[in-house]
Amino acid sequence: MNLDLTQKTAIVCGSTQGIGRASAVELALMGANVTLMARNEAALQQTLSTLDVSKGQTHRYIVADFSNPENVKSAIDTYLATFPEVHILINNTGGPTGGPIIDATPEQFMKTFEMHLVNNQVLAQAVVPAMKKAGFGRIVNIISTSVKQPIVGLGVSNTIRWAVASWAKTLSLEIGKFGITVNNVLPGYTKTGRLDTVNKLRAEATGKTVDEVADQLQSEIPIGRFAEPEEVAAAVAFLCSPAAAAISGINIPVDGGKTGSL
């Protein structure tokens, strides 16, 4: 099975922590040149120093604020003007604040839509020409299992994640003929800062302790535990490999079997 990404270049968004960082580490181990993309330059530099270089990889970073699509566009355009070769794009951005959907403001929906779908579109438009030229492209969107089964208390996130999944499926139909695949990885409950935040909100809403909330959630997962970021990253990395060339337009849950739908 060909998992070699030597001489391939990947841009990984939200790559200074959690699943994004784990994905960057995995892609580098497979031989890819990795360009990290996030807003905290100190964290980018620290993450960069941890990436594997045993295969002669060259790693870089882009400072960009995903709350501002115009800033993202400017940042990616500036980068591509100097380093135009891109084979892999990992779209990954933190989720919005939780709460009942009936209480969400229109501004919350618009901001989340920009951070996720609009930024994905900006980045895809920027890098797909290089992928077409290379005859090889991989776009992987790290979304959520809410694409298959909405999560109570995450109304805005549920809504926008579905929009991203539909965008990705449509894109896969349009650019597959150029050797470019588009797929979504759907993390379930994963040991990240995002899960900590969600658990605290649930604890406040129910009067339970954070540990009680975590124990309850884990009891609902068939494998009996939360996933590790590295386990989600393994799915991301496989979809980027040459071996996954015929896999496109799909949603892959990495959730320990919790999602109730097929």
Side-chain angles (χ1 to χ4, degrees):
M1 184 163 58
N2 185 0
L3 303 177
D4 184 21
L5 291 176
T6 303
Q7 297 185 339
K8 297 291 190 294
T9 296
I11 294 177
V12 185
C13 302
S15 44
T16 59
Q17 59 185 327
I19 295 169
R21 178 174 176 141
S23 297
V25 168
E26 193 68 30
L27 291 170
L29 288 170
M30 293 166 69
N33 304 310
V34 175
T35 297
L36 308 171
M37 195 170 186
R39 63 182 177 182
N40 186 321
E41 186 165 14
L44 284 164
Q45 292 173 340
Q46 193 281 326
T47 303
L48 197 75
S49 69
T50 69
L51 300 180
D52 182 77
V53 292
S54 64
K55 299 179 179 67
Q57 303 96 312
T58 299
H59 305 308
R60 302 182 174 90
Y61 67 83
I62 302 170
V63 179
D65 183 356
F66 284 86
S67 68
N68 184 346
E70 291 183 4
N71 178 262
V72 171
K73 179 169 174 41
S74 175
I76 190 65
D77 287 347
T78 299
Y79 170 82
L80 293 174
T82 305
F83 307 107
E85 199 171 60
V86 178
H87 306 91
I88 296 164
L89 171 64
I90 311 300
N91 284 314
N92 174 53
T93 310
T97 302
I101 196 167
I102 194 63
D103 295 334
T105 65
E107 290 75 20
Q108 285 177 285
F109 282 99
M110 293 301 296
K111 195 65 179 177
T112 306
F113 187 81
E114 287 185 348
M115 286 188 66
H116 293 266
L117 197 144
V118 174
N119 280 330
N120 289 4
Q121 175 73 1
V122 165
L123 292 169
Q125 286 183 326
V127 303
V128 162
M131 294 179 179
K132 287 181 177 179
K133 183 177 179 179
F136 179 101
R138 301 286 186 269
I139 298 176
V140 179
N141 310 295
I142 300 172
I143 314 182
S144 168
T145 54
S146 63
V147 167
K148 288 181 171 287
Q149 184 176 328
I151 300 171
V152 175
L154 295 177
V156 175
S157 179
N158 292 341
T159 304
I160 304 305
R161 305 291 193 182
W162 275 45
V164 172
S166 181
W167 168 84
K169 181 64 175 181
T170 305
L171 184 62
S172 74
L173 300 175
E174 294 178 356
I175 62 177
K177 61 187 176 183
F178 301 107
I180 306 170
T181 65
V182 186
N183 291 294
N184 304 317
V185 170
L186 315 180
Y189 295 118
T190 308
K191 291 182 181 178
T192 64
R194 169 70 170 168
L195 179 61
D196 292 340
T197 299
V198 171
N199 284 351
K200 287 176 183 176
L201 289 171
R202 283 200 173 97
E204 292 170 2
T206 61
K208 296 180 180 179
T209 67
V210 172
D211 286 343
E212 287 173 336
V213 169
D215 288 344
Q216 175 62 37
L217 290 177
Q218 290 185 99
S219 71
E220 298 169 1
I221 301 171
I223 65 171
R225 62 174 178 83
F226 297 135
E228 298 290 340
E230 293 77 13
E231 293 172 318
V232 181
V236 173
F238 171 72
L239 290 173
C240 293
S241 72
I247 301 173
S248 192
I250 65 166
N251 300 303
I252 299 182
V254 185
D255 64 349
K258 185 180 185 305
T259 302
S261 64
L262 293 175

